[in-house]
Amino acid sequence: MAQHISSIADFKMEVNQSFVDKGVELEPKFIETKSEPIQLVELEKDRDNNWMLSKHSSFELKQTESLGKGEAVCFDFGNHQVGYVSFKIKPIGSPPDAPAHLRIKFGETLCEIGEDSKDYEGWLSSSWIQEEFMHIDVLPAVINMPRRYAFRYMEIKVLDTSPKYQLIFEEIRCRTVSSADMSNVAPLSSNVDEDLIKMDRVALKTLHDCMQSVFEDGPKRDRRLWIGDLRLQASANYFTFKNYDLVKRCLYLFAGLTQNEGRVGACLFIEPHMLVDDTALLDYSLFFISCLHDYYEATRDRAILEELWPVAYKQAVLSLRELDEAGVVKDREGFWAFIDWHKDLNKQGAVQGVLIYTLKQASKMAEELGCLEEVQLLDTYIKQASKGTLQKLWDEEQGFFISGKDRQISWATQVWMVLADVLEQQENEALLDRLFEKNPKINMVTPYMNHHLVEALILNGRKEKALEIMKSYWGEMIKDGADCFWELYNPEDKKESPYGSNIINSYCHAWSCTPTYFIRKYFI
């Protein structure tokens, strides 16, 4: 299922230092809290070979029993944590005559604790697995682990001591960090459906834990500012935390650190210093337009609109190179756009929808700014692209949009064409109904793509169906134990991973947070 990311061969970062400086000035302060484990747990596999809790006990004594060579203890913190872990370790028995050798594992889910990392064969680096080995030479000791972890479960295994002593662990704590203030979020009223209250709570926790110095895609992995995630996080943020400065910071950083010819990159690194990655994704570059458009709609901050409009317009102009003579995006091999993680998805049709969708947002911003020449150019290409779409990608006989030389019919293509309003409203509604009736086999596998389906349903008179999807998708994730929403969830294959192993998946992932956006915007 792996789709290795393409890079720009002659990559060169272009820097607008003024924009970068403005982004740096908006760096947020972290809100810190302290948390402790609530119970000790033991794991076993169920009949379907999934990891489950077999035993748990209260952790009221605040310290473990003594552990010797080969023994382990697993702490459950009760819900997802992002932060820095510390604990005390003391020997019991004879004076320690050899170092203590420990293995410490952190897991957002039980599978990360239960599986042996030695068996990992995925294509993402195993260094993302949260597993540490340490020697403690002097005992007793206070251990302050320097890395930031994202986890609910923490297992300590004593790999070796000496036969003369054992170990006790106590004062296990996590200093959690986030730039989001949960007290700023208005509670839902008590008359809201209980399922939606639970969904909103998990979505808020997901967004909260991904709001660090920027909107991270995932606090475990990749810990980067990805623009596809930012677009959805920002939408949820406008209805919850209302941290407008964090969105503004991310916009300035993307605008200030661009790829060749001023193209907005797919993601940014923040540490040890800020730079744009060489990953090039057409849909993600276009989504800078959406991010700026949505920020302006939420804040009416005209100053930033005027300042960053040239960057947004540049993305529109660069994208026009991808069109053929009919105004349709050229089909390409490889990972040239994201859209979704489905391994067999042809992306031409969906990207065509993204193009039209974002060009319309660009035209709206140009009109707001009185940029009449830009409005005229954009509207010309919107008409050409829409006409070309109907001529080349609409299959009248089947009643679906197609994609690629094999005329693939996928959910993603239909959803993005609906969002782009290539058809009239009544035809959009009929297309969505037909989509569920025919159920094309190229389905969706991420909360990211499911978000766009729900949005399309809501905007086209299908709110009840949208609610049904939310409950059957994000609601099922909760039933499967999610205390934050996951990067990928396939109800038909709950171990699915685009990376070769589900232990490397992110189980608190930014693009999954949007149920709180839907609930607060459309359902209360």
Side-chain angles (χ1 to χ4, degrees), residues 23-232:
V24 170
E25 289 172 4
L26 291 165
E27 182 174 3
K29 293 181 179 179
F30 286 115
I31 298 169
E32 298 186 2
T33 58
K34 295 285 179 65
S35 61
E36 298 179 352
I38 62 169
Q39 61 183 1
L40 301 175
V41 296
E42 295 181 14
L43 283 65
E44 66 179 12
K45 285 193 172 182
D46 63 17
R47 64 182 65 183
D48 297 319
N49 210 33
N50 296 312
W51 288 100
M52 60 177 287
L53 297 180
S54 62
K55 183 180 178 182
H56 54 85
S57 57
S58 173
F59 193 50
E60 294 178 357
L61 296 178
K62 303 301 180 186
Q63 69 175 33
T64 65
E65 297 179 354
S66 60
L67 301 176
K69 179 178 180 178
E71 295 182 312
V73 61
C74 186
F75 305 94
D76 177 7
F77 278 72
N79 60 22
H80 194 266
Q81 311 289 313
V82 179
Y84 300 87
V85 171
S86 63
F87 58 89
K88 288 184 178 180
I89 177 173
K90 65 182 182 182
I92 186 170
S94 298
D97 59 341
H101 188 199
L102 308 179
R103 184 197 71 191
I104 304 177
K105 295 177 75 172
F106 295 91
E108 294 181 303
T109 60
L110 292 173
C111 70
E112 297 164 80
I113 301 297
E115 297 293 331
D116 191 337
S117 61
K118 294 179 181 177
D119 298 330
Y120 175 73
E121 295 180 348
W123 66 268
L124 279 185
S125 173
S126 63
S127 62
W128 284 117
I129 297 173
Q130 299 180 112
E131 183 176 46
E132 312 292 347
F133 296 86
M134 60 176 58
H135 289 82
I136 314 300
D137 295 304
V138 180
L139 295 165
V142 176
I143 306 299
N144 291 292
M145 303 187 73
R147 295 188 69 212
R148 195 194 77 189
Y149 302 98
F151 69 101
R152 172 173 174 171
Y153 304 99
M154 172 187 174
E155 182 192 71
I156 302 178
K157 183 173 184 179
V158 179
L159 297 177
D160 211 348
T161 56
S162 102
K164 298 183 68 176
Y165 75 94
Q166 293 188 315
L167 299 172
I168 288 175
F169 299 91
E170 59 186 4
E171 296 187 28
I172 297 93
R173 296 189 176 116
C174 180
R175 175 172 59 87
T176 67
V177 291
S178 172
S179 60
D181 187 347
M182 197 68 82
S183 68
N184 287 339
V185 182
L188 297 179
S189 62
S190 58
N191 61 358
V192 175
D193 183 290
E194 181 62 29
D195 288 340
L196 294 186
I197 291 175
K198 290 180 182 177
M199 201 182 302
D200 181 75
R201 186 183 306 125
V202 176
L204 278 173
K205 177 65 171 168
T206 305
L207 180 57
H208 173 276
D209 285 5
C210 290
M211 289 173 68
Q212 299 295 324
S213 71
V214 293
F215 285 96
E216 291 184 354
D217 62 325
K220 181 182 90 171
R221 206 218 80 240
D222 300 324
R223 303 186 181 189
R224 271 178 269 166
L225 173 57
W226 285 84
I227 202 162
D229 298 83
L230 169 63
R231 173 172 162 264
L232 301 192

Side-chain angles (χ1 to χ4, degrees), residues 234-283:
S235 295
N237 171 66
Y238 300 143
F239 287 87
T240 55
F241 297 103
K242 302 184 188 300
N243 190 336
Y244 301 115
D245 278 353
L246 192 63
V247 183
K248 194 173 183 178
R249 166 174 160 85
C250 295
L251 286 170
Y252 274 124
L253 293 179
F254 269 119
L257 301 164
T258 56
Q259 299 173 343
N260 305 33
E261 301 183 277
R263 184 180 296 279
V264 171
C267 69
L268 301 180
F269 294 94
I270 305 303
E271 296 177 326
H273 52 269
M274 297 179 183
L275 73 159
V276 62
D277 191 21
D278 59 357
T279 304
L281 299 173
L282 179 56
D283 51 341

